[in-house]
Coordinates of all heavy atoms in Angstrom, one line a residue:
M8 N 0.8 -1.2 0.0 CA 0.0 0.0 0.0 C 0.9 1.3 0.0 O 0.5 2.2 -0.6 CB -0.9 0.0 1.2 CG -2.1 -1.0 1.1 SD -3.3 -0.9 2.4 CE -2.6 0.0 3.8
L9 N 2.0 1.2 0.7 CA 2.9 2.4 0.8 C 3.5 2.7 -0.6 O 3.5 3.8 -1.0 CB 3.9 2.2 1.8 CG 4.8 3.3 2.2 CD1 4.0 4.6 2.6 CD2 5.8 3.0 3.2
D10 N 3.9 1.6 -1.3 CA 4.5 1.9 -2.6 C 3.4 2.5 -3.5 O 3.8 3.4 -4.3 CB 4.9 0.5 -3.2 CG 6.2 0.0 -2.6 OD1 7.0 0.8 -2.0 OD2 6.5 -1.2 -2.7
Q11 N 2.2 2.1 -3.4 CA 1.1 2.7 -4.3 C 0.9 4.2 -3.9 O 0.7 5.0 -4.8 CB -0.2 1.9 -4.1 CG -0.1 0.5 -4.7 CD -1.4 -0.3 -4.4 OE1 -2.2 0.1 -3.6 NE2 -1.5 -1.4 -5.1
E12 N 0.9 4.5 -2.6 CA 0.8 5.9 -2.2 C 1.9 6.7 -2.7 O 1.7 7.8 -3.2 CB 0.7 5.9 -0.6 CG 0.6 7.3 -0.1 CD -0.8 7.9 -0.2 OE1 -1.8 7.2 -0.5 OE2 -0.9 9.2 -0.2
I13 N 3.1 6.2 -2.6 CA 4.3 7.0 -3.1 C 4.1 7.2 -4.6 O 4.3 8.3 -5.1 CB 5.6 6.3 -2.7 CG1 5.8 6.3 -1.2 CG2 6.8 6.9 -3.5 CD1 6.9 5.5 -0.7
A14 N 3.8 6.1 -5.3 CA 3.7 6.2 -6.8 C 2.6 7.3 -7.2 O 2.8 8.0 -8.1 CB 3.3 4.9 -7.4
Q15 N 1.5 7.3 -6.4 CA 0.5 8.3 -6.7 C 0.9 9.7 -6.5 O 0.7 10.6 -7.3 CB -0.8 8.0 -5.8 CG -1.9 9.0 -6.0 CD -3.0 8.8 -5.0 OE1 -3.0 7.9 -4.2 NE2 -4.0 9.7 -5.1
R16 N 1.7 9.9 -5.4 CA 2.1 11.3 -5.0 C 3.2 11.8 -6.0 O 3.3 13.0 -6.1 CB 2.6 11.3 -3.6 CG 1.5 11.2 -2.6 CD 2.0 11.2 -1.2 NE 0.9 11.0 -0.3 CZ 0.6 11.9 0.7 NH1 1.3 13.0 0.9 NH2 -0.4 11.6 1.5
V17 N 4.0 10.9 -6.5 CA 5.1 11.4 -7.4 C 4.8 11.3 -8.9 O 5.6 11.6 -9.7 CB 6.4 10.7 -7.1 CG1 6.9 10.9 -5.7 CG2 6.4 9.2 -7.4
S18 N 3.6 10.8 -9.2 CA 3.2 10.6 -10.6 C 3.3 11.8 -11.5 O 3.7 11.7 -12.7 CB 1.8 10.0 -10.7 OG 0.8 10.9 -10.2
S19 N 3.1 13.0 -10.9 CA 3.2 14.2 -11.7 C 4.6 14.7 -11.9 O 4.9 15.6 -12.7 CB 2.3 15.3 -11.1 OG 2.8 15.6 -9.8
Y20 N 5.6 14.0 -11.3 CA 7.0 14.4 -11.4 C 7.8 13.3 -12.2 O 9.0 13.2 -11.9 CB 7.6 14.6 -10.0 CG 6.9 15.6 -9.2 CD1 6.0 15.2 -8.1 CD2 6.9 17.0 -9.5 CE1 5.3 16.2 -7.4 CE2 6.2 17.9 -8.8 CZ 5.5 17.5 -7.7 OH 4.8 18.5 -7.0
Q21 N 7.1 12.6 -13.1 CA 7.8 11.5 -13.7 C 9.0 11.9 -14.5 O 10.0 11.2 -14.5 CB 6.8 10.8 -14.6 CG 7.2 9.4 -15.1 CD 7.5 8.5 -13.9 OE1 6.7 8.5 -12.9 NE2 8.5 7.7 -14.0
E22 N 9.0 13.1 -15.1 CA 10.1 13.5 -15.9 C 11.3 13.8 -15.0 O 12.5 13.4 -15.3 CB 9.8 14.8 -16.6 CG 10.9 15.3 -17.6 CD 10.5 16.6 -18.3 OE1 9.3 16.7 -18.7 OE2 11.4 17.4 -18.5
D23 N 11.1 14.4 -13.8 CA 12.1 14.6 -12.8 C 12.7 13.3 -12.3 O 13.9 13.1 -12.2 CB 11.6 15.4 -11.7 CG 11.2 16.8 -12.1 OD1 11.9 17.4 -12.9 OD2 10.2 17.3 -11.5
I24 N 11.8 12.3 -12.1 CA 12.2 11.0 -11.6 C 13.1 10.3 -12.6 O 14.1 9.7 -12.3 CB 11.0 10.1 -11.2 CG1 10.4 10.7 -10.0 CG2 11.4 8.7 -11.0 CD1 9.0 10.1 -9.6
E25 N 12.7 10.4 -13.9 CA 13.5 9.7 -14.9 C 14.9 10.4 -15.1 O 15.9 9.7 -15.3 CB 12.7 9.8 -16.3 CG 11.5 8.8 -16.3 CD 10.6 9.0 -17.5 OE1 11.0 9.7 -18.4 OE2 9.5 8.4 -17.5
R26 N 14.9 11.7 -15.0 CA 16.2 12.4 -15.1 C 17.1 12.0 -14.0 O 18.3 11.7 -14.2 CB 16.0 13.9 -15.1 CG 17.2 14.7 -15.4 CD 17.0 16.2 -15.5 NE 15.9 16.5 -16.5 CZ 14.8 17.2 -16.2 NH1 14.6 17.6 -15.0 NH2 13.9 17.4 -17.1
L27 N 16.6 12.0 -12.7 CA 17.4 11.6 -11.6 C 17.8 10.1 -11.7 O 18.9 9.7 -11.3 CB 16.7 11.9 -10.3 CG 16.6 13.3 -9.9 CD1 15.6 13.5 -8.7 CD2 17.9 13.9 -9.5
D28 N 16.9 9.3 -12.1 CA 17.1 7.8 -12.2 C 18.2 7.5 -13.2 O 18.8 6.5 -13.2 CB 15.8 7.1 -12.6 CG 15.9 5.6 -12.4 OD1 16.7 5.2 -11.5 OD2 15.2 4.9 -13.2
S29 N 18.5 8.4 -14.1 CA 19.5 8.2 -15.2 C 20.9 8.4 -14.6 O 21.9 8.0 -15.2 CB 19.3 9.2 -16.4 OG 19.7 10.5 -16.0
I30 N 21.1 8.9 -13.4 CA 22.4 9.1 -12.7 C 22.8 7.7 -12.3 O 22.1 7.0 -11.5 CB 22.3 10.0 -11.5 CG1 21.8 11.4 -12.0 CG2 23.6 10.1 -10.8 CD1 21.5 12.4 -10.9
P31 N 24.1 7.3 -12.6 CA 24.5 6.0 -12.2 C 24.5 5.9 -10.6 O 24.9 6.8 -9.9 CB 26.0 5.9 -12.7 CG 26.0 6.8 -13.9 CD 25.0 7.9 -13.5
G32 N 24.0 4.8 -10.1 CA 23.9 4.6 -8.7 C 22.7 5.1 -8.0 O 22.5 4.9 -6.8
I33 N 21.9 5.8 -8.8 CA 20.6 6.4 -8.2 C 19.5 5.6 -8.8 O 19.2 5.6 -10.0 CB 20.4 7.9 -8.6 CG1 21.6 8.7 -8.1 CG2 19.1 8.4 -8.0 CD1 21.7 8.7 -6.6
A34 N 18.7 4.9 -8.0 CA 17.6 4.1 -8.4 C 16.3 4.9 -8.2 O 16.3 5.9 -7.6 CB 17.5 2.7 -7.7
T35 N 15.2 4.3 -8.6 CA 13.9 5.0 -8.5 C 13.5 5.3 -7.1 O 13.1 6.5 -6.8 CB 12.8 4.1 -9.1 OG1 13.1 3.9 -10.5 CG2 11.4 4.8 -9.1
R36 N 13.8 4.5 -6.1 CA 13.4 4.7 -4.7 C 14.2 5.9 -4.2 O 13.7 6.8 -3.5 CB 13.7 3.5 -3.9 CG 13.4 3.7 -2.4 CD 11.9 4.0 -2.1 NE 11.1 2.8 -2.4 CZ 9.8 2.7 -2.6 NH1 9.1 3.8 -2.6 NH2 9.2 1.6 -2.9
M37 N 15.5 6.0 -4.6 CA 16.3 7.1 -4.2 C 15.8 8.4 -4.8 O 15.8 9.5 -4.2 CB 17.8 6.9 -4.6 CG 18.7 8.0 -4.2 SD 18.7 8.4 -2.4 CE 19.6 7.0 -1.8
T38 N 15.4 8.4 -6.1 CA 14.9 9.6 -6.7 C 13.6 10.1 -5.9 O 13.5 11.3 -5.8 CB 14.5 9.4 -8.2 OG1 13.4 8.5 -8.3 CG2 15.7 8.9 -9.0
E39 N 12.8 9.2 -5.5 CA 11.6 9.6 -4.7 C 12.0 10.2 -3.4 O 11.4 11.2 -3.0 CB 10.8 8.3 -4.5 CG 10.2 7.8 -5.8 CD 9.6 6.4 -5.6 OE1 9.8 5.7 -4.6 OE2 8.9 5.9 -6.5
Q40 N 13.1 9.7 -2.8 CA 13.6 10.3 -1.5 C 14.2 11.6 -1.8 O 14.0 12.5 -1.0 CB 14.6 9.3 -0.9 CG 14.0 8.0 -0.4 CD 15.0 7.0 0.0 OE1 16.2 7.1 -0.3 NE2 14.6 6.0 0.8
I41 N 14.9 11.8 -2.8 CA 15.5 13.1 -3.2 C 14.4 14.1 -3.4 O 14.5 15.2 -2.8 CB 16.4 13.0 -4.4 CG1 17.7 12.2 -4.1 CG2 16.8 14.4 -4.9 CD1 18.5 11.8 -5.3
L42 N 13.4 13.8 -4.1 CA 12.3 14.7 -4.4 C 11.6 15.0 -3.1 O 11.1 16.2 -2.8 CB 11.3 14.2 -5.4 CG 11.8 14.1 -6.8 CD1 10.7 13.5 -7.7 CD2 12.1 15.5 -7.3
A43 N 11.4 14.1 -2.2 CA 10.7 14.3 -0.9 C 11.5 15.2 0.0 O 11.0 16.1 0.7 CB 10.5 13.0 -0.2
E44 N 12.8 15.1 -0.1 CA 13.7 16.0 0.8 C 13.9 17.4 0.2 O 13.8 18.3 1.0 CB 15.1 15.3 0.9 CG 15.1 14.1 1.8 CD 14.9 14.4 3.2 OE1 15.2 15.5 3.7 OE2 14.3 13.5 3.9
I45 N 14.2 17.5 -1.0 CA 14.5 18.9 -1.6 C 13.4 19.5 -2.4 O 13.5 20.7 -2.7 CB 15.8 18.9 -2.4 CG1 15.7 18.0 -3.6 CG2 17.0 18.4 -1.5 CD1 17.0 18.1 -4.5
G46 N 12.4 18.7 -2.8 CA 11.3 19.2 -3.6 C 11.7 19.4 -5.0 O 12.7 18.9 -5.5
T47 N 10.8 20.0 -5.8 CA 11.0 20.2 -7.2 C 11.3 21.6 -7.6 O 11.7 21.9 -8.7 CB 9.8 19.7 -8.0 OG1 8.7 20.5 -7.6 CG2 9.6 18.2 -7.8
D48 N 11.2 22.6 -6.7 CA 11.5 24.0 -7.0 C 12.9 24.3 -6.5 O 13.1 25.3 -5.7 CB 10.4 24.8 -6.2 CG 10.4 26.2 -6.7 OD1 11.0 26.5 -7.8 OD2 9.9 27.1 -6.0
I49 N 13.8 23.6 -7.0 CA 15.2 23.7 -6.5 C 15.8 25.1 -6.8 O 16.5 25.6 -5.9 CB 16.1 22.6 -7.1 CG1 15.6 21.2 -6.6 CG2 17.5 22.7 -6.7 CD1 16.2 20.0 -7.3
G50 N 15.5 25.6 -7.9 CA 16.1 26.9 -8.3 C 15.7 28.0 -7.4 O 16.5 28.9 -7.2
N51 N 14.5 28.0 -6.8 CA 14.1 29.0 -5.9 C 14.6 28.8 -4.5 O 14.8 29.7 -3.7 CB 12.6 29.2 -5.9 CG 12.1 29.9 -7.2 OD1 12.8 30.7 -7.7 ND2 11.0 29.5 -7.7
R52 N 14.7 27.5 -4.1 CA 15.1 27.2 -2.8 C 16.6 27.2 -2.6 O 17.1 27.6 -1.5 CB 14.6 25.7 -2.4 CG 13.1 25.7 -2.2 CD 12.7 24.3 -1.7 NE 13.2 24.2 -0.3 CZ 13.3 23.0 0.3 NH1 12.9 21.9 -0.3 NH2 13.8 22.9 1.5
F53 N 17.3 26.9 -3.6 CA 18.8 26.8 -3.6 C 19.3 27.6 -4.8 O 19.4 27.0 -5.9 CB 19.3 25.4 -3.6 CG 18.7 24.5 -2.5 CD1 17.6 23.6 -2.8 CD2 19.1 24.6 -1.2 CE1 17.1 22.9 -1.8 CE2 18.5 23.9 -0.2 CZ 17.5 23.0 -0.5
P54 N 19.8 28.8 -4.6 CA 20.2 29.6 -5.8 C 21.5 29.1 -6.5 O 21.7 29.4 -7.6 CB 20.5 31.0 -5.2 CG 20.4 30.9 -3.7 CD 19.8 29.6 -3.4
T55 N 22.3 28.3 -5.8 CA 23.5 27.7 -6.4 C 23.7 26.3 -5.9 O 23.1 25.9 -4.9 CB 24.8 28.5 -6.0 OG1 25.0 28.3 -4.6 CG2 24.6 30.0 -6.3
A56 N 24.5 25.6 -6.6 CA 24.8 24.2 -6.2 C 25.4 24.2 -4.9 O 25.2 23.3 -4.1 CB 25.7 23.5 -7.3
A57 N 26.2 25.2 -4.6 CA 26.9 25.3 -3.3 C 25.9 25.4 -2.1 O 26.1 24.8 -1.1 CB 27.8 26.5 -3.2
H58 N 24.8 26.1 -2.4 CA 23.7 26.2 -1.3 C 23.1 24.9 -1.1 O 22.8 24.5 0.1 CB 22.7 27.2 -1.8 CG 23.1 28.6 -1.6 ND1 23.6 29.4 -2.7 CD2 23.0 29.5 -0.6 CE1 23.9 30.6 -2.3 NE2 23.5 30.7 -1.0
L59 N 22.8 24.1 -2.1 CA 22.2 22.8 -2.0 C 23.2 21.9 -1.3 O 22.8 21.2 -0.3 CB 21.8 22.2 -3.3 CG 21.3 20.8 -3.3 CD1 20.1 20.6 -2.4 CD2 21.0 20.3 -4.7
C60 N 24.4 21.9 -1.6 CA 25.4 21.0 -1.0 C 25.6 21.4 0.5 O 25.7 20.5 1.3 CB 26.8 21.1 -1.7 SG 26.8 20.4 -3.3
S61 N 25.5 22.7 0.8 CA 25.6 23.1 2.2 C 24.4 22.6 3.0 O 24.6 22.1 4.1 CB 25.7 24.6 2.2 OG 25.7 25.1 3.6
W62 N 23.2 22.7 2.4 CA 22.0 22.3 3.1 C 22.1 20.8 3.3 O 21.7 20.3 4.4 CB 20.8 22.6 2.2 CG 19.5 22.1 2.8 CD1 18.8 22.7 3.7 CD2 18.9 20.9 2.5 NE1 17.7 21.9 4.0 CE2 17.7 20.8 3.3 CE3 19.2 19.8 1.6 CZ2 16.9 19.7 3.2 CZ3 18.3 18.8 1.6 CH2 17.2 18.7 2.4
A63 N 22.7 20.0 2.4 CA 22.8 18.6 2.5 C 24.0 18.1 3.2 O 24.3 17.0 3.4 CB 22.8 18.0 1.1
A64 N 24.8 19.1 3.7 CA 26.0 18.8 4.5 C 27.0 18.1 3.6 O 27.7 17.2 4.1 CB 25.7 18.1 5.8
L65 N 27.1 18.5 2.4 CA 28.1 17.9 1.4 C 29.1 19.0 1.0 O 28.7 20.2 1.0 CB 27.4 17.4 0.2 CG 26.4 16.3 0.4 CD1 25.6 16.0 -0.9 CD2 27.1 15.0 0.9
F66 N 30.2 18.6 0.6 CA 31.2 19.5 0.1 C 31.0 19.8 -1.4 O 30.7 18.9 -2.1 CB 32.7 19.0 0.3 CG 33.7 19.9 -0.3 CD1 34.0 21.1 0.3 CD2 34.3 19.6 -1.5 CE1 35.0 21.9 -0.2 CE2 35.2 20.4 -2.1 CZ 35.6 21.6 -1.4
S67 N 31.0 21.0 -1.8 CA 30.7 21.3 -3.2 C 32.0 21.6 -3.9 O 32.8 22.4 -3.5 CB 29.9 22.6 -3.3 OG 29.8 23.0 -4.6
W68 N 32.3 20.8 -4.9 CA 33.5 21.0 -5.7 C 33.4 22.1 -6.7 O 34.3 22.5 -7.4 CB 33.8 19.7 -6.5 CG 34.2 18.6 -5.6 CD1 33.3 17.6 -5.2 CD2 35.4 18.4 -5.0 NE1 34.0 16.7 -4.4 CE2 35.3 17.2 -4.3 CE3 36.6 19.0 -5.1 CZ2 36.4 16.7 -3.5 CZ3 37.7 18.5 -4.3 CH2 37.6 17.3 -3.6
T69 N 32.2 22.8 -6.7 CA 32.0 23.9 -7.7 C 32.5 25.2 -7.1 O 32.4 26.2 -7.7 CB 30.5 24.0 -8.0 OG1 29.7 24.3 -6.9 CG2 30.0 22.8 -8.7
Q70 N 32.9 25.2 -5.8 CA 33.4 26.5 -5.2 C 34.8 26.9 -5.7 O 35.6 26.1 -5.9 CB 33.4 26.4 -3.7 CG 32.0 26.2 -3.2 CD 32.0 26.0 -1.7 OE1 33.0 25.8 -1.0 NE2 30.8 26.2 -1.0

């Protein structure tokens, strides 16, 4: 039932899921988790890659 609920909630983001799923090592479940954590309005929430990396507590090689 939980898988069906998740599938229903992310159905309108299929293009985003497919794009993230194309990254080596990232599977569909991980793409769903990424979308749940950071959302789909990334450009407005995180003005740069460094901001997103900082929020996720990751080092950004783009600095």
Side-chain angles (χ1 to χ4, degrees):
M8 286 187 343
L9 187 55
D10 286 338
Q11 291 174 349
E12 178 72 20
I13 293 169
Q15 178 187 359
R16 289 180 183 237
V17 300
S18 64
S19 60
Y20 303 107
Q21 197 58 40
E22 185 178 324
D23 296 323
I24 290 171
E25 289 173 8
R26 189 176 304 121
L27 287 168
D28 192 31
S29 71
I30 300 170
I33 304 293
T35 302
R36 179 64 69 199
M37 180 59 72
T38 65
E39 294 164 350
Q40 292 171 340
I41 291 169
L42 288 176
E44 288 290 331
I45 64 174
T47 58
D48 193 19
I49 297 169
N51 287 324
R52 290 189 65 199
F53 306 103
T55 67
H58 283 94
L59 174 58
C60 289
S61 175
W62 177 86
L65 299 172
F66 178 74
S67 173
W68 292 101
T69 61
Q70 294 179 346

